[in-house]
Amino acid sequence: MRLMQALFDASLFIELQRLPELFCGFPFRKGEAPTAYPVACSPQAWSVAAVFLLLQSCLQITIDGYEKKVILHNPVLPGYINEIKISNLKFGGEEFSLEIVKYENDLGIHLIKKPAGWQLVTIK
């Protein structure tokens, strides 16, 4: 969660939220932009994939194709995200769509659409 928060905070200061390949190694200064590193590639390809990997990490999504299950292991959302909608998660020609909403003391998981024979399983 700390890494996700730090990347999100940094993105607020960067044009179009296009994260560079690296940041300078200066201490974090609350309310200030990260120090630019002039030779860093920006945007960097990893920064596009990082969003999905961080989301997978928060929700602890596992897909078991053999058992036809999408499993969420104790999913959490960071403090600044109250709702996530995942749609067009493809399995063959069919798709999963779900919404995760943060409530005061828990998360609500609303299944919108799923392929025939598949299950959405939540483990807490």
Side-chain angles (χ1 to χ4, degrees):
M1 288 297 174
R2 288 179 60 204
L3 177 59
M4 190 172 184
Q5 181 73 53
L7 288 171
F8 177 80
D9 289 346
S11 78
L12 297 176
F13 293 98
I14 298 170
E15 184 180 351
L16 300 174
Q17 287 73 46
R18 298 170 79 174
L19 296 174
E21 68 180 314
L22 59 98
F23 299 95
C24 287
F26 296 114
F28 173 73
R29 295 173 314 269
K30 189 172 179 87
E32 292 185 31
T35 303
Y37 191 73
V39 295
C41 293
S42 183
Q44 181 62 18
W46 71 260
S47 66
V48 175
V51 171
F52 298 103
L53 293 172
L54 290 168
L55 180 61
Q56 180 183 14
S57 179
C58 288
L59 302 179
Q60 295 295 305
I61 296 176
T62 303
I63 299 172
D64 184 338
Y66 183 74
E67 295 288 328
K68 294 188 174 184
K69 293 180 182 178
V70 174
I71 304 164
L72 302 174
H73 295 270
N74 197 25
V76 295
L77 293 177
Y80 58 90
I81 296 177
N82 292 321
E83 180 179 322
I84 291 178
K85 184 173 183 179
I86 299 172
S87 58
N88 295 319
L89 186 58
K90 299 285 186 179
F91 296 96
E94 299 182 84
E95 69 180 65
F96 254 99
S97 293
L98 61 118
E99 185 176 55
I100 300 163
V101 179
K102 186 187 310 177
Y103 296 105
E104 189 172 333
N105 296 308
D106 204 357
L107 292 181
I109 300 169
H110 309 280
L111 181 59
I112 298 166
K113 186 176 185 180
K114 73 174 184 67
W118 280 76
Q119 298 176 47
L120 175 64
V121 178
T122 304
I123 300 171
K124 288 196 175 210

